[in-house]
Amino acid sequence: MADVPYFVPNPLDAPRPPRRRWVPWSAGVLGVALIAGSVLWVWRPWRSLEIPRSACWSALSGNDLRPLTGAYGKVSEVGPHPRLQTPTSPEETEIRSNACRLSWQGDDGRQGKLLAVRVDPAWGGIDADRAQDASRNRPATPLDGGPGAAWLATAEGSHRVRLYVRCDFQVPAASDPAKRKAPPYFRVDVGSDGVYADPAAKGRQAYGDIALKIARAAAAEYRCSNRVQLPDAAPAIPDLVPEKQGTQGTQGTQGKEKADG
């Protein structure tokens, strides 16, 4: 008689085969990955803020520039020169310049001129600069700079700060008659295309702080024979609004009188 195969059931007390648990486990991993990806997209830890350790003839540090930048991006100095150019230092012209420019490239796509600084003798005088502001309909106001300095804050697209420092210095013989006699001041002009800082008041104040630091460095390069008098801190830089022409003229005279005092 031939053997007939038959099915033998498992005993009732035999252990059950393990269930497949990979489906819920993989779904959990996928959920965690989605959450982590969302957090990374919002946070984006690979973004950074790059600022030069020193800039503008090594007078400025990264902390001086930080109030002007956005949260993420890169600051670069355009054509840096290690020394400041002055009429009293005509030598080494290839490593000297009287202008400093810093560019901004933000992670949000914004780019432009973060900061522009220029230092030169105030050949035309403070009143000439005030007259030029008035002719271009740029609101401006004088700020208290103490006995040895005068400040002007102007609105030109964004804000600018000009600091005039009382300095007695000698100039070499010049072919231009207007520049054969040194003016009593050198001028530090600080501004940019726009304020990236938030709040904007923090960025405006940085202009004044930067102007003061540059002025201290420039006084040594200009070899001022007098004792340069600069305040310990920059005055508060206002948020300027358009002013009447007559008011501007009066304020300019008052600022000149303070500087001469």
Side-chain angles (χ1 to χ4, degrees), residues 4 7 9 18-19 45 49 65 80 96 106 115 154 174 179 193 195 217 227 231 240 242 244 247:
V4 177
F7 173 74
R19 296 180 179 179
L49 178 60
L65 303 174
R96 292 178 179 268
L115 185 71
T154 69
K179 296 183 179 181
D193 285 340
V195 177
R227 186 174 67 87
L240 299 177
K244 294 182 179 180
T247 305

Side-chain angles (χ1 to χ4, degrees), residues 11-61:
L12 296 178
D13 58 349
R16 295 182 179 182
R19 296 180 179 179
R20 295 181 178 179
R21 302 178 182 273
W22 64 271
V23 174
W25 178 83
S26 62
V29 171
L30 180 61
V32 172
L34 288 174
I35 294 174
S38 300
V39 171
L40 286 175
W41 178 252
V42 174
W43 180 32
R44 287 185 277 183
W46 57 85
R47 296 186 299 174
S48 63
L49 178 60
E50 298 181 41
I51 303 179
R53 292 185 178 181
S54 64
C56 296
W57 315 289
S58 299
L60 304 180
S61 68

Side-chain angles (χ1 to χ4, degrees), residues 25-219:
W25 178 83
S26 62
V29 171
L30 180 61
V32 172
L34 288 174
I35 294 174
S38 300
V39 171
L40 286 175
W41 178 252
V42 174
W43 180 32
R44 287 185 277 183
W46 57 85
R47 296 186 299 174
S48 63
L49 178 60
E50 298 181 41
I51 303 179
R53 292 185 178 181
S54 64
C56 296
W57 315 289
S58 299
L60 304 180
S61 68
N63 291 333
D64 298 317
L65 303 174
R66 194 176 301 273
L68 298 176
T69 70
Y72 305 103
K74 182 178 181 179
V75 178
S76 302
E77 185 169 0
V78 181
H81 290 77
R83 299 292 299 275
L84 177 66
Q85 177 67 47
T86 72
T88 58
S89 302
E91 70 277 6
E92 302 175 327
T93 55
E94 68 279 359
I95 66 171
R96 292 178 179 268
S97 173
N98 67 336
C100 170
R101 292 181 299 156
L102 299 173
S103 65
W104 167 252
Q105 178 69 52
D107 281 4
D108 56 2
R110 291 187 299 176
Q111 57 182 333
K113 182 171 60 180
L114 181 78
L115 185 71
V117 179
R118 187 176 183 88
V119 183
D120 50 19
W123 297 110
I126 302 174
D127 283 343
D129 287 347
R130 294 292 295 119
Q132 186 178 63
D133 288 333
S135 66
R136 296 181 179 180
N137 197 27
R138 291 191 304 220
T141 187
L143 306 173
D144 186 9
W151 298 73
L152 287 177
T154 69
E156 184 183 8
S158 62
H159 287 76
R160 301 185 69 83
V161 171
R162 292 199 299 266
L163 169 58
Y164 300 81
V165 180
R166 183 74 173 85
C167 175
D168 296 331
F169 61 93
Q170 300 293 323
V171 295
S175 58
D176 186 352
K179 296 183 179 181
R180 289 178 184 172
K181 182 179 180 181
Y185 295 93
F186 68 77
R187 174 182 55 203
V188 180
D189 189 304
V190 177
S192 76
D193 285 340
V195 177
Y196 292 93
D198 186 19
K202 187 177 181 181
R204 292 197 305 270
Q205 191 58 45
Y207 289 157
D209 297 337
I210 287 172
L212 186 57
K213 289 199 72 173
I214 295 292
R216 296 190 193 284

